C-alpha cells in the first residue's frame, strides 16, 4: 500500500530504525523493496541521532588530539566537515583542521546539569545520490560550532 501510494505521488513519511541513511535503504531492500522502485519513488532519507546540547555558560574550547582523531577513521571525513564549515562561512577559508576549535562540555554550573541544557539532533540527509555529511560528521560540524560536545560525538562513534 505504501509503495502504491508513493507511485501515485502521495507524500509519505515513514520511520525505520537504522544507524544511517544508507542502512535504512538496505533495510528497505531486505524487506523486499526493489532498488528500481526506491529510485522511482524515494525522494530522500534522513537519519537522526540525538545528542546533548552544551551549556553556553560553562562549555570549554578543545582541540582534537591526533590519537583521538584516529578514532574517527572509517566514520568521518574531516575534509568534508571542514569544507562544510567553510561553505557556511563559520571558519575562515584558510583554516586547517588542526587549528579548528571544538567544544567540550563543562563540569556544570547554575544554568545546566553536568554541562548540558537539552538535546540537539544530528542529521544525515540522503537525496537522490547527493553527498552530505553523515551523522558523525554532522556531530563534528556541530562540535566546531559549539552546539554539542566532542564527548557526545565520541559516544556515537563507540555505538557504531
Amino acid at each position: 500500500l505504501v509503495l502504491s501510494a508513493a507511485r501515485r505521488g502521495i507524500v509519505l513519511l515513514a520511520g525505520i530504525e537504522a544507524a544511517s541513511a544508507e542502512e535504512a535503504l538496505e533495510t528497505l531492500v531486505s524487506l523486499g523493496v526493489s532498488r528500481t522502485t526506491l529510485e522511482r519513488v524515494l525522494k530522500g532519507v534522513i537519519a537522526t541521532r540525538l545528542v546533548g546540547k552544551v551549556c553556553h555558560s560553562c562549555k570549554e574550547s578543545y582541540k582534537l588530539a591526533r590519537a583521538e582523531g584516529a578514532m574517527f577513521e572509517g566514520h568521518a571525513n574531516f575534509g568534508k566537515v571542514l569544507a562544510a564549515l567553510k561553505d557556511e562561512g563559520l571558519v575562515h577559508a584558510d583554516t586547517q583542521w588542526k587549528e579548528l576549535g571544538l567544544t567540550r562540555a563543562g563540569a556544570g554550573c547554575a544554568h545546566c546539569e553536568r554541562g548540558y541544557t537539552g538535546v540537539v539532533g544530528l542529521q544525515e540527509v540522503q537525496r537522490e545520490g547527493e553527498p552530505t555529511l553523515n551523522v558523525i560528521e554532522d556531530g563534528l560540524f556541530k562540535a566546531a560550532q559549539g552546539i554539542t560536545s566532542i564527548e557526545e560525538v565520541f559516544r556515537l562513534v563507540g555505538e557504531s
Side-chain angles (χ1 to χ4, degrees):
L1 287 174
V2 172
L3 292 175
S4 175
R7 284 187 195 112
R8 293 191 317 268
I10 297 171
V11 176
L12 299 166
L13 301 176
I16 295 177
E17 188 172 336
S20 68
E22 187 64 36
E23 187 178 308
L25 293 173
E26 293 303 321
T27 299
L28 289 170
V29 170
S30 73
L31 291 171
V33 180
S34 74
R35 292 187 186 278
T36 305
T37 299
L38 286 174
E39 289 173 10
R40 270 198 327 264
V41 302
L42 193 65
K43 297 299 180 200
V45 178
I46 302 171
T48 301
R49 298 292 301 272
L50 295 178
V51 293
K53 185 176 179 182
V54 292
C55 173
H56 289 286
S57 296
C58 67
K59 70 180 179 181
E60 302 170 2
S61 185
Y62 177 76
K63 296 231 191 236
L64 191 66
R66 185 177 294 252
E68 292 170 323
M71 292 176 56
F72 290 101
E73 193 170 315
H75 298 281
N77 178 326
F78 292 116
K80 274 177 53 179
V81 176
L82 187 57
L85 288 164
K86 289 177 181 181
D87 287 347
E88 295 290 324
L90 298 171
V91 298
H92 192 272
D94 296 343
T95 303
Q96 294 187 13
W97 183 260
K98 63 184 178 184
E99 304 165 337
L100 196 62
L102 300 175
T103 304
R104 273 190 140 151
C109 66
H111 303 283
C112 69
E113 185 176 323
R114 293 179 282 168
Y116 296 96
T117 59
V119 295
V120 65
L122 305 180
Q123 286 82 31
E124 173 184 343
V125 179
Q126 189 166 355
R127 289 185 299 253
E128 301 171 15
E130 185 179 309
T132 64
L133 298 179
N134 66 33
V135 172
I136 303 295
E137 291 163 345
D138 192 36
L140 291 168
F141 182 85
K142 287 182 172 129
Q145 290 179 280
I147 296 170
T148 192
S149 70
I150 192 66
E151 295 94 346
E152 287 290 270
V153 184
F154 281 140
R155 180 178 60 82
L156 292 180
V157 169
E159 291 176 2
S160 58

